[in-house]
C-alpha cells in the first residue's frame, strides 16, 4: 500500500546568528514530515547549551506528530541546558498549543528577536532545504 502525499511539503531554512540557530519552517508538520524534521532538530540540538529558535509563522498545519516533535525537541534542549523559542503569529497554532495544554510550556514570541529577524549577517551560516 502506498501513500500519495497531496499536501505541501515541509521546507526549512536554517541559519546561525550570534550562536543562535534559527530554523524557519514552511508547510505542514505532520506524520510524514515530522521524522526528517526530528533528525534535523536532533542534529541542531546535539551540543551543550543549544539556543534554537523555531520560526513557525509559515507552518500551515500541525498535527499530534508535530506537537510530539516540539515537546521532544524542548525536552532534549532543556536537558542540555539550552533554550528553545517558538515564533508564532497564527491564532490557529496558538489555539492548538492551548488545547493540547502546552500554551505555557513553550517560550512563544510573536516575531523573531531583532538581531535574528534581519536574516543572515556577516559570519552567519545559512542553508535551505525543501
Amino acid at each position: 500500500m502506498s501513500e500519495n502525499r497531496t499536501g505541501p511539503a515541509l521546507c526549512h531554512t536554517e541559519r546561525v546568528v550570534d550562536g543562535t540557530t534559527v530554523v524557519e519552517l514552511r508547510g505542514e508538520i505532520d506524520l510524514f514530515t515530522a521524522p526528517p524534521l526530528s533528525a534535523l532538530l536532533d542534529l541542531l540540538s546535539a551540543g551543550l547549551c543549544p539556543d534554537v529558535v523555531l520560526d513557525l509563522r509559515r507552518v500551515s498545519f500541525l498535527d499530534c506528530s508535530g506537537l510530539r516533535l516540539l515537546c521532544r525537541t524542548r525536552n532534549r534542549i532543556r536537558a542540555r541546558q539550552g533554550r528553545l523559542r517558538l515564533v508564532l503569529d497564527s491564532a490557529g497554532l496558538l489555539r492548538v498549543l492551548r488545547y493540547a495544554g502546552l500554551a505555557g510550556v513553550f517560550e512563544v514570541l510573536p516575531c523573531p528577536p531583532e538581531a535574528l529577524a534581519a536574516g543572515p549577517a556577516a559570519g552567519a551560516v545559512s542553508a535551505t532545504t525543501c
Side-chain angles (χ1 to χ4, degrees):
M1 183 168 139
S2 72
E3 292 286 330
N4 290 330
R5 178 129 175 97
T6 58
L10 183 68
C11 296
H12 79 277
T13 301
E14 64 184 85
R15 62 185 186 274
V16 178
V17 181
D18 295 331
T20 299
T21 302
V22 180
V23 182
E24 182 182 329
L25 299 167
R26 296 174 304 282
E28 298 180 354
I29 303 175
D30 59 18
L31 181 65
F32 296 104
T33 61
L37 180 56
S38 179
L40 170 70
L41 294 175
D42 283 355
L43 181 67
L44 296 176
S45 63
L48 186 62
C49 299
D51 186 8
V52 178
V53 173
L54 295 180
D55 188 342
L56 305 175
R57 292 176 296 169
R58 293 184 175 174
V59 170
S60 57
F61 178 78
L62 180 75
D63 72 1
C64 60
S65 300
L67 290 173
R68 182 177 64 238
L69 172 66
L70 292 177
C71 290
R72 181 179 181 280
T73 301
R74 177 192 171 273
N75 293 341
R76 181 178 167 86
I77 288 174
R78 286 180 54 112
R80 290 168 171 75
Q81 288 75 49
R83 182 178 187 191
L84 173 67
R85 291 169 279 176
L86 305 179
V87 177
L88 291 170
D89 64 358
S90 162
L93 290 181
L94 287 169
R95 190 170 34 252
V96 168
L97 289 177
R98 193 171 49 251
Y99 289 167
L102 299 171
V105 171
F106 294 97
E107 184 177 352
V108 177
L109 307 171
C111 60
E114 254 183 61
L116 304 176
V125 178
S126 181
T128 300
T129 304
C130 284

